Amino acid sequence: MSFRVNGRFVADPHTSYERLRQEAPVCPARFHGGLDAWLVTRYADAKALLNDRRLSKDVTRGLPLFPPGSEGAHSSPLAKHMLHSDPPDHTRLRRLVNKAFTPRTVARLRPRIERIVDRLLDGMSGTVDMIESFALPIPIAVICELLGVPEEDRLEFQEWSHRLAGEGTVEQIAEASDKMGAYLAGMVRAKRERPREDLVSDLIQVSDGGDQLSERELLNMAFLLLVAGFETTANLLGTGVKGLLENPEQQAALRADPSLLPAAVEEFLRFEAPIHMATLRFTTEPVRIGDVEIPANQIVMISLLSANRDGDRFEDPDRLDICRSGDPHLAFGYGIHHCLGAPLARLEGEVAFGRLLARFPLLTPAWEPESLVWKRSTLSRGLSSLPVRIGP
């Protein structure tokens, strides 16, 4: 069985995934741009492959496997970062970054996140687009605060990030890559001369036994943190609000007991994973999964979205349940490439949802189900808009 990814699938992948998990959990698929890959949809298979060393993430080796024109942001020099590398390079980079991106770094952002969210809520009344007014501005402000990007430059960063996450043509992606690369290079130079209390300054100074990040590694790490920290959290906030408004009993439970916020954020991540497909992986040798053998030098697309709705792992998987317990979701990946920014995304979610519900006692949908538009991407899973009515 071969599967073709099209616009209908991007809008409603869950129906297709339910069938694929039963009939063809590992199957060849044709993606946008003529990209042929193997699609993996079950939780157990996804978890195993996310930590399988026979699947490489080395973007330099993987690029020749893409048909011309389908490489997207993978072809950018900025894409040669930690997420697109294998051990021992990945091990070294992760060790250095972990020295700068610490729990203390994340914790010191809480007051700033609270102020960002409160300022946005102050401006809300009537009917508002929660993507434009809430889900997008929070993470871009937070990640720019973390990296030390001035406030006047943040709208440009938001536009570049959209393009590099797949929301644009080949030409627009290339242009965004060039502009972001030039900006980040200038920022690194400025912070090398005048360090501040931000993550880029910390990354410049961090060392391990005399080892430090090179200039190119600094640029690529800043790029990774910016794009990964913005798009994913924006998707989490948007789909989380949608989930609460479509499930008023869950919204009521969370309002009644704010201590459920951490569990609620985990359930939002499971229910509508912000990253649809795990990032680039390809086989370096034949890999057998059940009755299927994937040959060497094949791109493998692991659907985190599908794995998190697998009925073999999650009871009643298509139901939002903020009190759910059991198997952990795979929204942040698994293994050595588990998302570095997961603690920050969780913190942003807890602050944003908590303060939204505390501020507005009545939130109701202002959209028709058929009118919602999902991003045209198989990398990220998020909404383009979400009209919400704020009660008196």
Side-chain angles (χ1 to χ4, degrees):
M1 176 180 180
S2 182
F3 183 76
R4 181 175 289 274
V5 172
N6 54 30
R8 187 184 306 168
F9 167 79
V10 171
D12 177 25
H14 295 298
T15 300
S16 297
Y17 280 144
E18 186 174 6
R19 178 172 60 89
L20 287 173
R21 286 192 300 268
Q22 297 299 319
E23 299 177 7
V26 180
C27 68
R30 171 67 60 90
F31 288 80
H32 301 304
L35 174 65
D36 290 317
W38 290 81
L39 178 59
V40 178
T41 54
R42 284 182 181 167
Y43 181 99
D45 297 333
K47 186 175 181 180
L49 290 176
L50 287 169
N51 204 32
D52 192 323
R53 298 297 179 89
R54 295 173 298 174
L55 270 65
S56 174
K57 290 184 63 60
D58 185 341
V59 69
T60 304
R61 293 173 59 195
L63 268 180
L65 302 178
F66 286 81
S70 69
E71 304 94 336
H74 289 106
S75 60
S76 166
L78 293 170
K80 297 177 178 63
H81 48 61
M82 182 176 70
L83 188 59
H84 288 158
S85 64
D86 297 326
D89 292 339
H90 174 269
T91 308
R92 169 184 165 265
L93 292 170
R94 183 97 182 200
R95 184 173 60 245
L96 284 167
V97 174
N98 281 344
K99 285 179 170 289
F101 196 38
T102 63
R104 178 179 171 274
T105 304
V106 174
R108 77 186 183 197
L109 285 170
R110 178 180 279 273
R112 180 59 181 148
I113 296 172
E114 291 171 344
R115 290 194 294 272
I116 290 167
V117 174
D118 286 343
R119 186 184 73 240
L120 291 169
L121 298 179
D122 286 343
M124 290 185 188
S125 63
T127 299
V128 297
D129 181 350
M130 292 300 287
I131 304 301
E132 180 182 349
S133 303
F134 182 75
L136 287 176
I138 291 173
I140 196 67
V142 171
I143 200 67
C144 286
E145 187 82 16
L146 177 69
L147 295 177
V149 177
E151 194 160 346
E152 61 269 20
D153 296 337
R154 293 176 184 179
L155 280 178
E156 275 192 307
F157 262 74
Q158 180 173 315
E159 179 64 23
W160 296 337
S161 297
H162 269 317
R163 297 294 181 224
L164 292 166
E167 291 285 302
T169 64
V170 173
E171 293 76 17
Q172 288 172 328
I173 291 171
E175 181 184 11
S177 173
D178 291 343
K179 288 182 176 179
M180 184 175 283
Y183 183 93
L184 290 173
M187 187 172 72
V188 168
R189 285 195 299 271
K191 293 183 185 299
R192 196 180 288 283
E193 294 174 5
R194 279 192 182 176
R196 303 289 178 91
E197 193 181 63
D198 57 59
L199 185 57
V200 171
S201 298
D202 292 344
L203 287 170
I204 290 170
Q205 298 174 48
V206 74
S207 66
D208 183 70
D211 185 20
Q212 288 186 296
L213 295 171
S214 69
E215 198 76 8
R216 170 50 61 184
E217 288 167 346
L218 279 167
L219 289 179
N220 293 358
M221 186 59 64
F223 167 75
L224 171 60
L225 291 167
L226 179 69
V227 175
F230 165 56
E231 196 75 20
T232 53
T233 306
N235 292 345
L236 163 64
L237 297 180
T239 57
V241 170
K242 175 178 178 287
L244 283 176
L245 269 62
E246 290 180 331
N247 297 271
E249 77 290 347
Q250 299 293 304
Q251 184 184 157
L254 190 54
R255 287 183 183 279
D257 185 2
S259 71
L260 292 173
L261 274 168
V265 170
E266 298 305 313
E267 178 65 350
F268 299 149
L269 288 162
R270 182 203 71 83
F271 190 72
E272 206 72 75
I275 293 296
H276 184 158
M277 303 279 183
T279 49
L280 173 69
R281 279 174 173 80
F282 63 92
T283 53
T284 58
E285 59 182 89
V287 175
R288 179 165 289 279
I289 309 168
D291 297 331
V292 177
E293 181 173 275
I294 302 177
N297 298 315
Q298 297 284 300
I299 293 175
V300 178
M301 293 292 197
I302 302 171
S303 176
L304 307 178
L305 194 70
S306 176
N308 286 341
R309 294 280 191 106
D310 189 341
D312 289 340
R313 288 288 171 164
F314 302 101
E315 184 178 352
D316 200 0
D318 296 322
R319 179 172 64 90
L320 184 74
D321 179 5
I322 63 172
C323 296
R324 186 184 296 274
S325 60
D327 287 310
H329 60 74
L330 297 177
F332 291 126
Y334 180 74
I336 65 170
H337 290 285
H338 183 270
C339 179
L340 180 74
L344 179 58
R346 288 182 167 115
L347 175 60
E348 289 180 70
E350 290 176 28
V351 171
F353 291 119
R355 289 177 114 76
L356 175 69
L357 296 180
R359 176 72 68 93
F360 300 122
L362 184 61
L363 296 167
T364 54
W367 71 82
E368 296 296 329
E370 63 274 8
S371 70
L372 290 182
V373 177
W374 293 88
K375 293 176 181 177
R376 297 171 300 169
S377 171
T378 52
L379 173 61
S380 69
R381 175 68 173 167
L383 291 159
S384 296
S385 65
L386 186 72
V388 171
R389 191 173 298 107
I390 296 173

